[in-house]
Amino acid sequence: MPLTPTAGNPARGRALVADRQKGMCLLCHTAPIAEVRQQGDLAPSLAGAGARWSAAQLRARVVDNRRINPQSIMPAYFKVEGLHRVGAPWKDKTLLGAQEIEDVVAYLATLK
Amino acid sequence: MSVDGWMTGTKTPFEKGGRPRQWAGGFAAFAIAMTGIAAHAQPSDPRKSGTEYLSPATRALQSNDAENPAMLWVKAGEALFNEKPGADRKSCADCHTATVRPLKGIAAGYPRFSIAANRPLNLSMQINLCRQQHQKAATLQHESRELVSLETYVAHQSRGQPIAPWRDARMSQAFINGERHFKTRIGALDLSCADCHDRQAGKQLAGNVIPQAHPTAYPLYRLEWQGVGTLSRRIRNCMSGVRAEPFAHASAEMIELETYLASRAAGMTLETPGVRP
């Protein structure tokens, strides 16, 4: 189920994925986003993610991947409970907002 | 994200003592870490100093004293070492000479339990304790130019010595707590030190190679800092990198974490002062 009634915007999603401070995805992943140099190699490439997974499956991974794989190092982007020593500026805030999650999911879905 | 941690993605111009008296329960892990001293002699030791992950240019900078920027801190530290800052008109050099309480090898044994303070101390804290107790001088602020210079000067005298954690039952609880801190997921990113430094070492976190987090070259010059900083400062960077509230300098938790890191690195060679991007 989408988190918001407004459909995700893939262009905004792409920008979030590329953003080192916001999405931070490319710290760990690579993606076909040529302008970002020095992408990480801790995680599978996001290329083809939209072919491998449905929108619902992609959303589940971005919202809280550790519900799928508790060992995973991928942070939960839409969760505030169960965290320790969160720094004051980030307390009680999700890493991404609901609409931002939808934007990211919409972008990932285009990666076929 | 962090002010000066790995998440900023900053690019640099250079990158393009004795047997423990008793082994209490849970202390076994400490014993195993201690055997690292023997392991280091083997070529099969999987441990790597952060130095091994440096680009050739940064590595050359570290290994050439004439170019290593941290040598300026060593020089400044030497001058401070000979000053008489307090009411007692005593310099560090008055108490520590080549033959009396020599400093060679000393830094390789920190953190260690201090009877005077009745708690484990890192080297910064020990220097401040000496100022208070033996020099009647004001303590210096953590990460201040003076304290970092003094620490770098002292640690430099252990360059080439094996890291030799203080083997004392009174350090066992610090080790146990430190290991717990290392393995506990923290911050908004919910990552532990172990998640990156045990499980992902050698891989790329964006533009940075993740090292194994051995405290082999501290204090060191970091291009991102444009200066020399201690191990505590480095750890605080990683903690704010995962958007956690960092442990305070000189807090019990910080010293526990440093104790655990020293044990993991037992037997590895101290290289102070290092250079890092």
Side-chain angles (χ1 to χ4, degrees):
Chain A
M1 277 289 286
L3 302 175
T4 65
T6 311
N9 175 324
R12 273 205 298 267
R14 184 182 188 281
L16 285 165
V17 168
D19 187 327
R20 284 224 171 154
Q21 319 289 322
K22 268 301 239 175
M24 302 173 278
C25 314
L26 304 188
L27 288 179
C28 298
H29 290 274
T30 50
I33 298 182
E35 71 272 20
V36 178
R37 289 162 53 243
Q38 306 202 303
Q39 306 185 359
D41 69 358
L42 311 186
S45 170
L46 296 177
R52 289 191 291 277
W53 309 104
S54 69
Q57 289 169 320
L58 291 168
R59 186 179 298 107
R61 279 160 180 75
V62 180
V63 163
D64 186 358
N65 190 49
R66 288 190 189 153
R67 292 236 293 259
I68 299 160
N69 172 12
Q71 303 306 314
S72 181
I73 55 165
M74 176 160 159
Y77 282 84
F78 200 65
K79 176 179 130 166
V80 287
E81 70 283 359
L83 303 173
H84 305 285
R85 283 194 83 85
V86 176
W90 302 289
K91 237 191 163 90
D92 298 323
K93 289 180 201 143
T94 57
L95 295 177
L96 292 176
Q99 194 60 49
E100 290 172 329
I101 302 270
E102 290 307 315
D103 294 342
V104 167
V105 170
Y107 166 66
L108 295 175
T110 67
L111 300 177
K112 298 246 157 98
Chain B
M1 164 175 266
S2 76
V3 185
D4 54 1
W6 30 260
M7 297 288 191
T8 52
T10 314
K11 281 183 220 82
T12 71
F14 296 89
E15 309 290 301
K16 258 268 107 268
R19 286 182 67 79
R21 257 163 267 152
Q22 54 164 323
W23 302 104
F27 202 24
F30 192 49
I32 290 162
M34 295 294 104
T35 61
I37 291 176
H40 187 58
Q42 329 278 299
S44 59
D45 190 344
R47 295 177 305 171
K48 283 188 181 183
S49 166
T51 305
E52 296 189 43
Y53 297 105
L54 297 177
S55 71
T58 309
R59 203 168 167 165
L61 204 58
Q62 170 169 320
S63 54
N64 181 350
D65 280 353
E67 280 176 32
N68 183 334
M71 290 309 289
L72 294 173
W73 274 253
V74 173
K75 284 252 159 32
E78 182 174 19
L80 290 165
F81 198 81
N82 288 293
E83 272 177 20
K84 303 174 196 283
D88 271 13
R89 305 296 305 149
K90 262 194 279 173
S91 70
C92 314
D94 288 337
C95 289
H96 299 275
T97 70
T99 47
V100 182
R101 292 182 214 93
L103 291 173
K104 185 175 173 177
I106 290 294
Y110 276 80
R112 65 181 251 196
F113 190 84
S114 159
I115 294 168
N118 194 34
R119 58 170 290 198
L121 302 181
N122 65 17
L123 191 51
S124 289
M125 296 162 81
Q126 178 63 55
I127 292 169
N128 264 335
L129 191 66
C130 282
R131 287 177 69 89
Q132 276 182 301
Q133 291 201 315
H134 304 302
Q135 297 180 292
K136 303 281 178 289
T139 57
L140 298 167
Q141 274 217 330
H142 288 288
E143 301 308 312
S144 64
R145 182 107 186 174
E146 289 114 306
L147 187 51
V148 172
S149 297
L150 277 167
E151 181 172 338
T152 308
Y153 173 69
V154 171
H156 179 243
Q157 302 191 41
S158 297
R159 183 156 77 172
Q161 299 288 310
I163 293 176
W166 201 242
R167 299 188 206 184
D168 184 311
R170 288 166 300 186
M171 291 301 285
S172 68
Q173 194 60 46
F175 170 84
I176 290 164
N177 293 350
E179 179 172 27
R180 194 179 63 242
H181 302 321
F182 194 81
K183 295 183 174 166
T184 301
R185 286 182 160 167
I186 53 169
L189 303 194
D190 206 17
L191 288 168
S192 69
C193 317
D195 278 335
C196 285
H197 291 294
D198 281 350
R199 293 167 61 197
Q200 306 290 335
K203 294 203 192 146
Q204 289 287 140
L205 184 72
N208 301 303
V209 184
I210 301 179
Q212 295 177 356
H214 295 302
T216 40
Y218 285 82
L220 54 71
Y221 185 89
R222 206 166 163 221
L223 289 140
E224 194 171 312
W225 294 334
Q226 292 289 301
V228 174
T230 66
L231 178 61
S232 303
R233 183 173 180 190
R234 171 68 250 185
I235 291 172
R236 285 170 56 83
N237 279 186
C238 280
M239 293 183 81
S240 39
V242 297
R243 302 186 179 177
E245 178 61 33
F247 294 144
H249 284 294
S251 63
E253 290 96 334
M254 181 63 88
I255 307 310
E256 289 159 359
L257 197 43
E258 292 185 2
T259 300
Y260 178 68
L261 292 183
S263 298
R264 272 168 97 241
M268 297 178 78
T269 303
L270 204 72
E271 304 163 82
T272 307
V275 179
R276 295 288 182 272

